Amino acid sequence: MPPTRVRQPPVRRRGRPPRPSRSPRPPRSADGVRFPVLAVVFVCAACGLVYELELVALASYLIGDSVTQASVVLSVMVFAMGVGSLLAKRLRCRAAVGFGMVEAGLALIGGCSALALYAAFAWLGESRYVIVAFSLAIGVLIGAEIPLLMSLIQRAAGAGAAKRARRQAPAEQDDAAGTVADLFAADYVGALVGGLAFPFLLLPWLGQLTGALVTGAVNAIAGGGLVLWVFRRDLTSRSRALLIAVNLSVLAVLATATVLVDDFEEAARRAVYGERVRVAVHTELQEVVVTGGREGPPDLFLDGRLRVAGQDEYRFHEALVHPAMNGPHERVLIVGGGDGLAAREVLRYPGVSSVTVVELDPGVVRLARTDPALATLNAQAFRDPRVRVVYADAFNWLRGTADRVQERYDVVISDLPDPGITPSTKLYSEEFHGLVARVLTGSGRFAVHAGSVTDRPHTYWTVDATLRAAGFATRPYSASGRTPGFAAGPDRADRTGGTEQGPGDWGFLLAVPGARPPALGLAPDAPRLRSLGPGTLEAAARRAERARGPELPPSTLVHPRYGG
């Protein structure tokens, strides 16, 4: 029988007390940080899409041609997001401080983007390159967000994973895949909320400038709060102090800009429109500005484009309206014309019994009714009982009305912005002209403002080809004698004081159903006109015909062909 072994107590070394057993501090669980991370991803994605939509809206407003500007901004931002994802690799070792700095930079650049772009437009007269630069910067910062957050979550989960057995590796991979799915889901849902908040909340309540600044503040608070609270253990004391200082500085800049935004907007407006701004309002659709002194006629700007020059508008509206009135003109439809000036010319004919004005923006009509200078210029046209105003998109209104109109219109007048401006493109399409043909009488006439014959001949003759494709026979003509500074299309206001721009022209087309072009003349009961006469119209037709080029294809809804 083997001897029993007796365990001896461990021999303690003199002078050294026993070391108490300490369990290691448990690593942070990924589940403990996942919810706040997903919440911040949601908020930051919403802010990022607001910045993106802000750039698109400003580019369309300041430059025009919204399709081109949206394509440039979106494509540049997507490319920059890829670059930002690659650059984020260099920050993985310092993911916490890197994410905090990225969000602070995004809040500052995105929040101030609207102010910077509008300032470049107002004082430099050019904003294309500034828009591209902001698109690049914001895209790079947005692209770096998800990789850095993924690094932080994986680091939190990986602190305890190193001690796990190899057999658990597939489960860890599944957890990583689930984390990526959660991050992108929060990102996409946040983008949805930001995309809806921009047109329905920020623009109506705060406007473009203040809306961007408030979005930047929300972005800074969300990003900085996540790093300084949830990932504070990953920061050194120096990094923590740096992030606090940077975020407080960003919030101070955004708060200061918000306080001063009204003064900035007023100064920028004076730089764009001059010192004689009488009225400036933001309707639900656009910015409407009236300039001019009390002693002279006003100028009307819509979204920065000179729509009406008071001293010379009679040339435009006489040429647009009166050739179309050469024939029956009891019932008249005006598409656009919210300033009331086309209606003023129509109402000069005693045989007119009704005038229907279809205008998209009620704010323009409201201003034309109430502003003393505009109401005087349009001879109080909207107070005439024969005038009925319909607030609607002309395309949708005609599509819903064409089959219900009991009495067709004798005259239809298209008093719309230049077809080169993207929002007007569908109202110069073959489909729209086909709707107009359905509401005209057999002997009715359709007058169309088609842009400048000399400055944009391709656009003008595309309108002509589109009218003919819709079943009209056309007679081109133009009117000259524009006062300096009258922008006949997507051109902006003349910043040289209105003394350098040479004479221009407005191009018109008179169209009738059928194959025989209409005669160009004035009605026997036409009022006395300041700029038109029989000889004037004949010269205007010859001048337009001399500019005719090769045959062009028509513009349709699915294939618009107006390039501005």
Side-chain angles (χ1 to χ4, degrees):
M1 183 174 181
T4 304
R5 295 183 179 180
V6 179
R7 292 187 179 182
Q8 298 295 328
V11 179
R12 297 180 181 178
R13 297 181 181 180
R14 292 183 178 180
R16 182 175 298 178
R19 179 178 299 176
S21 60
R22 295 177 57 188
S23 59
R25 183 172 55 186
R28 286 173 301 172
S29 171
D31 295 333
V33 301
R34 181 168 299 188
F35 178 76
V37 166
L38 294 179
V40 169
V41 169
F42 173 85
V43 173
C44 292
C47 295
L49 196 64
V50 169
Y51 301 144
E52 188 173 331
L53 295 175
E54 188 76 39
L55 289 175
V56 171
L58 280 170
S60 303
Y61 164 61
L62 299 178
I63 302 175
D65 190 3
S66 59
V67 172
T68 299
Q69 306 312 321
S71 301
V72 169
V73 170
L74 296 179
S75 59
V76 169
M77 286 194 71
V78 171
F79 164 76
M81 288 168 65
V83 174
S85 297
L86 293 176
L87 294 178
K89 292 181 178 181
R90 299 179 177 272
L91 297 175
R92 285 183 300 177
C93 59
R94 298 181 178 178
V97 67
F99 179 78
M101 296 301 291
V102 163
E103 291 306 310
L106 185 58
L108 180 64
I109 295 174
C112 295
S113 60
L115 285 172
L117 294 179
Y118 198 65
F121 168 73
W123 282 283
L124 302 180
E126 178 58 60
S127 54
R128 295 178 188 269
Y129 301 111
V130 181
I131 287 174
V132 172
F134 272 94
S135 301
L136 279 171
I138 293 174
V140 167
L141 294 173
I142 291 176
E145 289 177 326
I146 297 297
L148 292 176
L149 282 175
M150 190 64 197
S151 296
L152 289 171
I153 292 180
Q154 290 301 309
R155 185 174 301 173
K163 298 182 179 179
R164 296 178 185 174
R166 289 182 176 272
R167 59 185 177 83
Q168 293 179 332
E172 293 170 11
Q173 293 176 3
D174 293 340
D175 186 66
T179 300
V180 172
D182 290 342
L183 285 175
F184 279 106
D187 187 70
Y188 296 149
V189 175
L192 170 66
V193 173
L196 295 177
F198 179 73
F200 296 114
L201 295 178
L202 293 179
L203 280 185
W205 290 2
L206 300 177
Q208 288 182 326
L209 303 185
T210 306
L213 293 169
V214 171
T215 302
V218 172
N219 198 163
I221 293 171
L226 177 71
V227 175
L228 293 171
W229 179 254
V230 178
F231 297 108
R232 60 188 181 275
R233 295 179 182 177
D234 296 335
L235 299 173
T236 64
S237 57
R238 183 176 180 181
S239 298
R240 188 180 301 110
L242 175 63
L243 282 178
I244 292 174
V246 168
N247 279 276
L248 289 178
S249 299
V250 169
L251 290 174
V253 170
L254 296 175
T256 303
T258 303
V259 172
L260 299 177
V261 71
D262 290 336
D263 294 334
F264 169 84
E265 190 171 359
E266 184 178 350
R269 187 179 293 120
R270 287 198 301 268
V272 174
Y273 301 109
E275 296 293 333
R276 300 193 303 167
V277 176
R278 297 181 60 252
V279 180
V281 296
H282 286 275
T283 70
E284 294 183 356
L285 300 172
Q286 58 194 337
E287 181 186 55
V288 183
V289 175
V290 180
T291 66
R294 297 183 179 275
E295 68 282 355
D299 295 338
L300 175 66
F301 293 83
L302 302 181
D303 269 351
R305 298 175 178 90
L306 182 58
R307 188 75 177 95
V308 173
Q311 293 183 349
D312 205 37
E313 58 78 22
Y314 69 91
R315 296 180 180 273
F316 175 90
H317 291 97
E318 286 185 355
L320 173 66
V321 171
H322 293 284
M325 303 295 283
N326 185 19
H329 47 250
E330 183 179 357
R331 289 171 49 85
V332 179
L333 170 65
I334 300 175
V335 179
D339 49 43
L341 299 173
R344 176 198 65 193
E345 296 299 319
V346 169
L347 293 172
R348 297 174 69 183
Y349 289 83
V352 172
S353 63
S354 68
V355 180
T356 301
V357 179
V358 181
E359 169 62 43
L360 182 61
D361 191 351
V364 175
V365 177
R366 188 182 311 114
L367 194 61
R369 290 178 187 269
T370 58
D371 182 74
L374 280 179
T376 300
L377 192 65
N378 63 37
Q380 305 287 350
F382 290 116
R383 294 188 179 182
D384 194 297
R386 294 173 291 175
V387 176
R388 178 174 73 100
V389 181
V390 177
Y391 300 116
D393 176 87
F395 192 101
N396 296 334
W397 183 81
L398 275 178
R399 185 167 58 180
T401 305
D403 295 330
R404 300 198 306 267
V405 174
Q406 300 298 322
E407 298 181 12
R408 305 284 179 182
Y409 293 100
D410 299 304
V411 179
V412 176
I413 296 170
S414 177
D415 185 12
L416 296 167
D418 190 281
I421 301 173
T422 305
S424 301
T425 299
K426 74 174 183 179
L427 302 182
Y428 287 90
S429 65
E430 182 180 343
E431 292 86 347
F432 179 76
H433 294 158
L435 292 174
V436 172
R438 292 167 59 185
V439 301
L440 273 175
T441 62
S443 59
R445 290 163 307 286
F446 181 25
V448 180
H449 164 231
S452 173
V453 181
T454 57
D455 294 343
R456 285 176 294 280
H458 182 274
T459 297
Y460 178 85
W461 293 110
T462 299
V463 179
D464 178 73
T466 305
L467 280 166
R468 288 186 283 108
F472 288 98
T474 61
R475 177 74 69 184
Y477 65 104
S478 65
S480 60
R482 180 176 75 200
T483 56
F486 196 110
D491 304 333
R492 318 306 290 188
D494 179 23
R495 291 175 181 76
T496 62
T499 59
E500 301 295 332
Q501 185 174 338
D505 71 283
W506 301 287
F508 304 97
L509 290 161
L510 182 62
V512 295
R516 185 175 179 179
L520 195 62
L522 298 176
D525 60 341
R528 184 176 181 179
L529 306 177
R530 290 188 284 174
S531 64
L532 286 185
T536 307
L537 284 174
E538 293 175 3
R542 290 194 299 269
R543 186 167 54 247
E545 285 291 349
R546 285 197 298 268
R548 185 184 290 273
E551 186 70 17
L552 297 173
S555 180
T556 64
L557 288 177
V558 296
H559 196 166
R561 299 181 184 273
Y562 301 110

